[in-house]
């Protein structure tokens, strides 16, 4: 159930490469979060891509986008969904998504940065209501957290 904000230099992933990037990011998130391959659960993964204007992205104070393709991902996830192994899977999967979506004619060196913001339980609102980890587990279908759904229904 992540909300994933992607920042890329303007025009970096045009046309079909943009669709591939979004699909691959969704697949990486679903694998790390152990979401089932069903549309209702996968709809819980939101991806927003923002493009930085030319000259707006600097590294060390210089615009290096002619030779470097910097891509930043800010992922907001419910705390308790990922452990250390799944965080590593998430970061690797996101990097691979960019590699696989990169236009064939783009020769720049790919540089990804993934920041995971784990939102504390009870600090995320959905549809006007505060959600807790069992709510996310029920809606997103997290395989490893279904025991929380069962416990919440028993109470």
């Amino acid at each position: 159930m992540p909300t994933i904000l992607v920042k890329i230099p303007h025009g970096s992933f045009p046309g079909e490469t943009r669709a591939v990037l979004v699909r691959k990011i969704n697949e990486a998130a679903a694998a790390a979060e152990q979401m089932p391959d069903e549309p209702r659960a996968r709809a819980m993964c939101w991806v927003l891509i923002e493009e930085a204007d030319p000259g707006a992205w600097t590294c060390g104070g210089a615009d290096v986008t002619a030779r470097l393709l910097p891509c930043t991902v800010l992922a907001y996830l419910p705390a308790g969904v990922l452990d250390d192994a799944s965080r590593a899977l998430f970061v690797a999967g996101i990097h691979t998504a960019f590699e696989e979506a990169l236009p064939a004619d783009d020769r720049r060196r790919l540089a990804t940065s993934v920041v995971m913001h784990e939102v504390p339980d009870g600090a995320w609102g959905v549809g006007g209501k505060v959600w807790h980890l069992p709510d996310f587990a029920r809606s997103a279908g997290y395989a490893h957290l279904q025991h929380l759904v069962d416990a919440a229904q028993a109470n």
Side-chain angles (χ1 to χ4, degrees):
M1 163 71 198
T3 296
I4 301 173
L5 307 176
V6 178
K7 299 196 183 262
I8 56 175
H10 180 74
S12 299
F13 290 87
E16 180 59 26
T17 62
R18 173 77 55 100
V20 170
L21 178 62
V22 169
R23 186 178 76 249
K24 296 287 186 178
I25 287 173
N26 273 277
E27 290 171 0
E33 294 184 272
Q34 300 181 44
M35 295 173 73
D37 188 11
E38 59 183 49
R40 185 186 67 74
R42 297 290 173 99
M44 301 298 291
C45 180
W46 292 12
V47 176
L48 172 66
I49 296 181
E50 297 177 335
E51 293 189 347
D53 291 333
W57 201 310
T58 63
C59 298
D63 182 354
V64 295
T65 56
R67 64 182 194 286
L68 180 72
L69 178 56
C71 301
T72 298
V73 172
L74 305 173
Y76 295 86
L77 309 114
V81 172
L82 301 179
D83 59 13
D84 287 343
S86 56
R87 282 186 201 93
L89 182 64
F90 185 85
V91 170
I94 294 295
H95 183 79
T96 299
F98 281 101
E99 285 180 324
E100 292 177 357
L102 190 64
D105 61 347
D106 195 330
R107 300 288 179 233
R108 294 177 287 178
R109 184 171 63 87
L110 176 64
T112 60
S113 176
V114 179
V115 178
M116 291 169 276
H117 298 279
E118 296 186 75
V119 180
D121 193 45
W124 195 315
V126 176
K129 296 183 181 184
V130 173
W131 274 27
H132 295 276
L133 194 52
D135 300 310
F136 290 105
R138 181 186 65 254
S139 292
Y142 299 137
H144 62 301
L145 297 177
Q146 288 307 297
H147 66 282
L148 299 175
V149 176
D150 297 339
Q153 289 173 344
N155 291 335

